[in-house]
Amino acid sequence: MNKHHEPTGPADDDQQQITLRGPAELADALPYMLGFHPTDSIVLVALHGDRGRFGGRLRLGIPDSPHEWLPVAQHLAECLIEGSERRGTRPDGIVVFLCRDPAEGETGRAVMERLRPLAQWLRTSCGALDVPVQEALCISGGRFWSYSCPDSRCCPAEGTAMAMPGTSVMAAAAAYAGIQVRGSLREMEARLEPLRTPAAADQERALDSAGASLVPRILHGGSKEEVGAETLRLARRLMKRLGDRATLGVGPSTADAGDDKLISHDEAAAVILGLQDRETRDLAAAWMEGPQAHRALRLWRALARRCVGPYAEHAAAPLSLAGWVSWSTGDEPGARVALSLALRVDPEYVFARLLHQACNEGLDPEDLRRCLRTQNVDGAADAVGPRAATPEAPAQAPAGSGAPGAAGPPECTATRAGSRRPRSRPRTARPADGRKSPASDPGVPRARSRARSTRRSGERDAGSL
């Protein structure tokens, strides 16, 4: 299981309080708590006090294999309860949501019955830690069912239709507070996933060609700094080009398609491979506020979509940058989606792990912004000089633990802890015995990498809040 799930802190007590009564209002409130409609997700929400005040939330993709449901349930229960305790208060109860759309020809009730064992494992796992599950709901096909209520008068066997969008008390309160629901998690992820059009083959060939010319330049010409400078100059030109095209009033899919047309395959390949160098990537991270931030975010999204075929792992760099810019500009749901996808393609990508951890811990991105402002990106793009600063967590969570462990805000350091160990030659598929390929000279972008073997069906990164 991939344990990069998404806890968040408790709600601010000073904010307007809304009283929710019954399963119907709980089901309707879920997308407003997350900022999007979860799809194919387990969501746990902590409750505090006699009145059941909402606290931390945690989301994880539903494992396809039922054999993984018990360990997943135990892990999620532990993480939510321990995370709440670290923030000061042990939960008094938990609400469980299981969200999955019916497959073709399947009914929502069939989905509910299929997921019933998972709901039971979650209830018993929380109960084993002395925190009861107050309500467990399945949301599927526009209807919801309660696993906790046996009364068919309020929870009929055929389920209950969800409220019409915008008609509930939660919708009214969210509109008043300026809270927006960004659509579904699947739609948010689609903006960052590799192209699945015929153009993907052309992009793969461009990446092959760029890798074939780039690696010899670095290994034999000693021009890593020159390649980094060229990457940043090209990225700035692409940002300006994207900025000249307005996207206000345009839907996300239309906006993304327009951005894709403005970037050639060769340009995308050059920047993608250049960003595999950690120093170049860190310099690009300084485009995080003001007008530059929106243009940079559009560029990182577009580049993530160009990491096709065997180059899927290369998307960790643009996805991490997209997550950082989103977090820096106040879009925490978007940040967690991008960072989760970065960890899905490369769970060992430390830059994404540290940002993911800091975002989950509710740290202020201004600490890192202040650090990055000390970098003169424009000057460094022409002649890469001093090493860029990188975020370093004071106490890093163990690999794969999924439980944030930072003890304070990120620090500015030149130790390069925000990146994994660089590689000097193309990454190849791992041997059958699972050993990793050896690392060598630092700071060299990776050339073509083979696609990783398919992960276990239940290995899913958590979505976002």
Side-chain angles (χ1 to χ4, degrees), residues 367-411:
D367 295 303
L368 181 53
R369 282 197 299 262
R370 188 182 305 114
C371 178
L372 292 173
R373 288 189 195 107
T374 64
Q375 299 175 182
N376 186 345
V377 178
D378 291 329
D382 295 323
V384 178
R387 291 190 174 187
T390 309
E392 183 176 89
Q396 183 176 336
S401 70
E411 296 177 355

Side-chain angles (χ1 to χ4, degrees), residues 265-333:
H265 297 308
D266 291 337
E267 290 172 329
V271 180
I272 288 169
L273 294 181
L275 289 175
Q276 304 309 302
D277 173 59
R278 61 178 184 263
E279 295 180 11
T280 305
R281 180 209 63 203
D282 291 346
L283 287 168
W287 298 324
M288 75 246 171
E289 54 191 346
Q292 281 186 328
H294 180 62
R295 298 174 185 178
L297 181 58
R298 290 168 62 186
L299 176 60
W300 306 144
R301 284 173 176 162
L303 294 180
R305 294 192 293 270
R306 301 297 188 93
C307 295
V308 298
Y311 293 93
E313 190 178 286
H314 286 63
L319 285 171
S320 298
L321 289 170
W324 159 237
V325 174
S326 296
W327 183 36
S328 177
T329 55
D331 180 10
E332 291 192 8

Side-chain angles (χ1 to χ4, degrees), residues 114-314:
R114 182 155 45 86
L115 296 180
R116 186 182 290 276
L118 174 57
Q120 185 61 25
W121 285 126
L122 288 164
R123 295 173 69 182
T124 57
S125 297
C126 294
L129 298 174
D130 295 325
V131 180
V133 170
Q134 304 290 0
E135 182 62 89
L137 299 177
C138 176
I139 301 175
S140 180
R143 306 183 76 83
F144 71 87
W145 290 259
S146 172
Y147 292 113
S148 303
C149 179
D151 191 342
S152 60
R153 292 173 297 179
C154 59
C155 298
E158 65 274 15
T160 304
M162 299 286 291
M164 291 292 292
T167 62
S168 67
V169 62
M170 189 67 182
Y176 178 78
I179 298 173
Q180 295 183 348
V181 177
R182 294 167 174 80
S184 71
L185 173 62
R186 187 176 294 115
E187 291 168 344
M188 295 175 70
E189 290 181 338
R191 304 191 70 183
L192 300 163
E193 291 177 338
L195 296 175
R196 293 182 176 86
T197 64
D202 294 332
Q203 183 62 68
E204 184 176 334
R205 284 191 289 270
L207 286 160
D208 286 341
S209 178
S213 62
L214 181 64
V215 173
R217 282 183 59 193
I218 295 175
L219 293 180
H220 305 299
S223 58
K224 183 173 79 74
E225 290 78 9
E226 180 182 346
V227 171
E230 290 175 358
T231 299
L232 294 175
R233 284 197 294 268
L234 176 56
R236 283 206 309 276
R237 290 199 299 272
L238 294 177
M239 285 168 56
K240 183 180 185 305
R241 191 184 303 167
L242 294 174
D244 291 338
R245 175 182 175 273
T247 58
L248 293 177
V250 178
S253 59
T254 302
D256 292 343
D259 288 348
D260 289 339
K261 292 178 181 178
L262 295 176
I263 302 174
S264 72
H265 297 308
D266 291 337
E267 290 172 329
V271 180
I272 288 169
L273 294 181
L275 289 175
Q276 304 309 302
D277 173 59
R278 61 178 184 263
E279 295 180 11
T280 305
R281 180 209 63 203
D282 291 346
L283 287 168
W287 298 324
M288 75 246 171
E289 54 191 346
Q292 281 186 328
H294 180 62
R295 298 174 185 178
L297 181 58
R298 290 168 62 186
L299 176 60
W300 306 144
R301 284 173 176 162
L303 294 180
R305 294 192 293 270
R306 301 297 188 93
C307 295
V308 298
Y311 293 93
E313 190 178 286
H314 286 63

